[in-house]
Amino acid sequence: MMQTLLDNPTQPHQPVLKKDVLSTQQFPLFWVIVTVAVTLAVFSSVLNADFVMWDDDVIIYKNPNLGGLSLDRIYWAFTDVDSMMRYNPLTLLSWTVTYHFFGLDPSGYHLGNWLLHGLSSCFLFLIIRNILLTSAETNRNNTPDFLVYINIASLLTTLFWALHPLRVEAVAWATVRTHCQAVFFLLLSMLLYMKAIHAEFNRRKYLFLMASAFVFYTISVFSYSIGITFFAIYFILDVFLFKRIGNSIGWWKAQTAKKVLLEKIVFAIPAVLIGVISVVVRVKSAGVWQPPVSISEFGLTDRLMQAVYITVYYIYRPFYPVDLAPVYTTLVSFDPLSASFLLSAIGLFIFSLVIFILRKQWPIGVALLLSHIILLIPVMGFFEHPHYPADRYSLLPSICWSVFLAMAFLYFKKKGIRTLLIVCMVVILCFWGVLSVKQVAVWNNSESLFSHTLQTLGGDPYRYDIYWRWGRYLYEKGRTDDAAQYFIKTLQIKPNHPEALYHLAKIEYDRGDHERARSYYQRLLQVAPNYFRNSKR
């Protein structure tokens, strides 16, 4: 009977794939090309997109520190604490390289995100294929037909992740190079880690691959900190897939277990380092961004229930990708004991309890739930209020669903059911592709993004934030009359909004209505007396 992924981890450890088995697994070049080509084709229209006034201005095209590649720029990338809320020197360096060749042409910045996502799909395909081959014990099932089926399953489940409309924000928004770059190197690190485990019989090759995996993991967390908990996924792989540890009582006492645990400690070093630096940078950059909230302002219960909500949100959101927008306001102001949050907590508890009860019959559930929670920890917003769930935060946890679907292809053995699975996946992928193409059009420029966001917000008071951004965008385009209307709409919701008051004062002054300009300036100085000093105008 075909062994499924994550069989009982208490079984005696067996070599995962022997050297002669690995030699039969030729590199699936054709399938890799198809994966990357389809992914890039669906997102190809991002290459014609403009910057959007949704942090692209602050971080890229109005950032006075961004410039051509030089020693000073490299020093800035590793010491900057103002441009970003998190420490991401290698992404700043990546933008510097982009600027060196493209200047402020947005196509160059979108090109980088586009290529990173396409190549990430390549790595994920190889990772899922590796998981399926390892799980299925290909030393007993390596017939040509079976390997083709494995390749098809890996392709379809990879594209389930790569073509998903939740990926659009990360690919189409230039500023989210941070996430694209971090995920790219995380997946490369994971692929090399898996290859290192397969090569344990060859010490030199094992050490080289493991060292390479560590280097790329370090590059990832220095690109952005979303992967600071990713090293724990390697531990889960060791327990459930490779069965290197956890196969007997007192397993941690064995010499092999100590070696495995030492590997994880080594991987944890850059993660802990970046975690500490990120907290320091977050506090020091409070002059540019909103300062972190204190416990008195946002209590422990609020933070815990927010984390529970985020965990549940990213379980169902991949299957309900509608009304996507750059901002979701559920967590702006909430009662942690309201019905929706209590139901989220109860649902997560019941779901976790069922998986725990079925842990021996369905260990994949344990592994994937643990992975889902671990990958979400950096984006649960423990230090942030208000916190905004974002499409880009699904980049890593959504991989768990792709692995789950991939295992379904192995679980069902009848040819008819497998054919039905393939047909259903193709239909879903076509649907994903259409939704993604439409969502890319939303991110094409600031006006299309703001218009779509206002539609999704409806009557939510947060729409004031979109109004003033749209007003500022129009003002900088010289469309001052249109801009004034959006600033007025901002003040109708938030009467003391400093940016709206400042720009309306300038517009009225330029129109020659100095009395009205004076009134706006007076209101501005009353609500924000240090506005001109803090904004460096």
Side-chain angles (χ1 to χ4, degrees):
M1 179 178 179
M2 183 183 296
Q3 177 189 8
T4 58
L5 177 65
L6 311 182
D7 278 346
N8 192 340
T10 61
Q11 292 177 351
H13 171 65
Q14 297 292 335
V16 178
L17 287 176
K18 298 179 181 179
K19 184 176 181 180
D20 59 336
V21 175
L22 285 174
S23 66
T24 67
Q25 300 178 30
Q26 298 180 2
F27 185 77
L29 180 61
F30 169 77
W31 300 96
V32 166
I33 292 175
V34 171
T35 302
V36 176
V38 172
T39 301
L40 294 179
V42 168
F43 289 94
S44 59
S45 57
V46 303
L47 298 177
N48 299 319
D50 199 354
F51 289 123
V52 291
M53 196 169 283
W54 194 261
D55 289 348
D56 281 353
D57 51 336
V58 177
I59 293 172
I60 300 178
Y61 66 87
K62 286 186 181 179
N63 189 340
N65 296 310
L66 189 62
L69 191 61
S70 67
L71 291 177
D72 289 340
R73 293 279 187 266
I74 296 174
Y75 174 79
W76 161 74
F78 284 90
T79 58
D80 176 67
V81 296
D82 292 329
S83 295
M84 301 289 288
M85 290 173 61
R86 301 288 183 265
Y87 186 64
N88 53 309
L90 294 184
T91 300
L92 292 178
L93 191 59
S94 173
W95 280 323
T96 298
V97 172
T98 304
Y99 184 96
H100 186 81
F101 291 101
F102 293 92
L104 291 178
D105 182 350
S107 63
Y109 298 83
H110 291 301
L111 175 65
N113 291 22
W114 183 67
L115 291 176
L116 285 169
H117 184 61
L119 293 174
S120 292
S121 70
C122 162
F123 296 146
L124 182 58
F125 168 84
L126 296 173
I127 288 169
I128 292 177
R129 182 177 184 270
N130 198 316
I131 290 173
L132 293 181
L133 290 172
T134 302
S135 175
E137 285 189 334
T138 54
N139 52 327
R140 291 186 292 178
N141 300 282
N142 57 355
T143 62
D145 288 346
F146 180 74
L147 291 178
V148 169
Y149 179 73
I150 288 291
N151 288 331
I152 292 174
S154 303
L155 169 68
L156 295 177
T157 53
T158 297
L159 292 178
F160 181 87
W161 174 84
L163 303 186
H164 200 286
L166 286 176
R167 305 292 88 80
V168 172
E169 181 179 88
V171 182
W173 185 10
T175 291
V176 188
R177 171 77 62 86
T178 49
H179 289 71
C180 289
Q181 185 167 312
V183 169
F184 170 83
F185 286 110
L186 281 177
L187 294 177
L188 178 55
S189 172
M190 185 174 183
L191 179 62
L192 292 171
Y193 180 87
M194 298 174 78
K195 288 185 174 294
I197 303 308
H198 289 313
E200 278 190 289
F201 55 83
N202 184 331
R203 180 171 174 77
R204 179 177 296 180
K205 186 176 181 181
Y206 161 80
L207 291 175
F208 173 77
L209 289 170
M210 191 62 73
S212 300
F214 172 78
V215 168
F216 288 119
Y217 178 69
T218 303
I219 292 174
S220 173
V221 295
F222 272 80
S223 295
Y224 203 61
S225 57
I226 57 169
I228 58 175
T229 56
F230 195 84
F231 69 91
I233 302 301
Y234 298 151
F235 183 83
I236 291 176
L237 288 175
D238 288 333
V239 173
F240 292 100
L241 178 62
F242 298 125
K243 301 180 177 63
R244 301 171 76 204
I245 53 177
N247 48 58
S248 62
I249 297 175
W251 58 266
W252 56 87
K253 298 177 182 179
Q255 190 64 34
T256 53
K258 293 178 181 178
K259 169 191 170 184
V260 171
L261 293 175
L262 178 61
E263 290 173 357
K264 306 307 157 303
I265 292 173
V266 171
F267 275 88
I269 292 173
V272 172
L273 177 63
I274 286 297
V276 172
I277 294 176
S278 293
V279 171
V280 174
V281 170
R282 178 67 182 91
V283 174
K284 287 187 67 65
S285 65
V288 179
W289 309 95
Q290 290 294 323
V293 293
S294 64
I295 292 293
S296 61
E297 297 173 286
F298 191 53
L300 291 176
T301 301
D302 301 88
R303 295 171 194 253
L304 176 61
M305 294 303 285
Q306 178 173 274
V308 169
Y309 174 84
I310 290 290
T311 303
V312 175
Y313 177 84
Y314 288 105
I315 290 176
Y316 77 81
R317 189 56 163 161
F319 299 94
Y320 188 68
V322 298
D323 294 330
L324 301 183
V327 62
Y328 306 105
T329 60
T330 303
L331 299 177
V332 171
S333 178
F334 65 94
D335 178 2
L337 300 180
S338 63
S340 59
F341 285 86
L342 289 176
L343 287 174
S344 294
I346 293 170
L348 181 61
F349 174 77
I350 294 174
F351 185 56
S352 302
L353 182 61
V354 170
I355 287 179
F356 178 77
I357 293 172
L358 299 176
R359 64 189 183 281
K360 292 185 179 180
Q361 297 92 332
W362 198 54
I364 184 176
V366 178
L368 292 180
L369 179 60
L370 286 175
S371 299
H372 176 81
I373 294 173
I374 287 169
L375 294 173
L376 279 173
I377 288 174
V379 297
M380 285 181 175
F382 289 113
F383 301 101
E384 301 297 334
H385 180 69
H387 182 53
Y388 303 94
D391 296 351
R392 61 189 180 277
Y393 295 162
S394 68
L395 271 168
L396 289 176
S398 289
I399 291 174
C400 297
W401 284 115
S402 287
V403 174
F404 172 80
L405 292 172
M407 295 317 303
F409 279 87
L410 284 189
Y411 181 79
F412 296 104
K413 301 174 180 63
K414 291 185 179 180
K415 187 175 181 180
I417 297 179
R418 287 181 169 180
T419 302
L420 180 62
L421 275 176
I422 292 173
V423 172
C424 289
M425 284 296 294
V426 170
V427 172
I428 291 172
L429 293 179
C430 290
F431 184 55
W432 277 181
V434 171
L435 291 181
S436 292
V437 170
K438 291 183 177 180
Q439 191 64 17
V440 168
V442 168
W443 284 90
N444 185 65
N445 56 63
S446 295
E447 293 198 61
S448 60
L449 180 64
F450 295 150
S451 176
H452 174 81
T453 304
L454 286 174
Q455 292 177 16
T456 61
L457 285 173
D460 194 308
Y462 188 86
R463 66 188 187 278
Y464 83 86
D465 189 63
I466 310 301
Y467 285 144
W468 83 260
R469 290 175 185 270
W470 201 340
R472 189 179 65 176
Y473 170 80
L474 294 172
Y475 180 85
E476 292 180 1
K477 293 291 184 180
R479 296 164 58 184
T480 55
D481 290 342
D482 293 333
Q485 296 303 312
Y486 283 102
F487 290 131
I488 290 172
K489 289 182 178 181
T490 303
L491 296 180
Q492 289 172 349
I493 301 173
K494 196 162 186 174
N496 294 327
H497 193 278
E499 284 284 344
L501 291 170
Y502 170 76
H503 281 92
L504 280 172
K506 290 191 66 177
I507 290 171
E508 295 300 341
Y509 183 85
D510 292 339
R511 287 173 173 174
D513 192 338
H514 295 174
E515 189 62 32
R516 183 170 291 184
R518 183 182 299 109
S519 68
Y520 282 126
Y521 277 127
Q522 287 174 343
R523 287 173 60 185
L524 174 61
L525 292 175
Q526 288 174 355
V527 301
N530 295 320
Y531 177 80
F532 292 97
R533 183 184 305 169
N534 294 338
S535 61
K536 299 178 182 179
R537 296 185 183 279

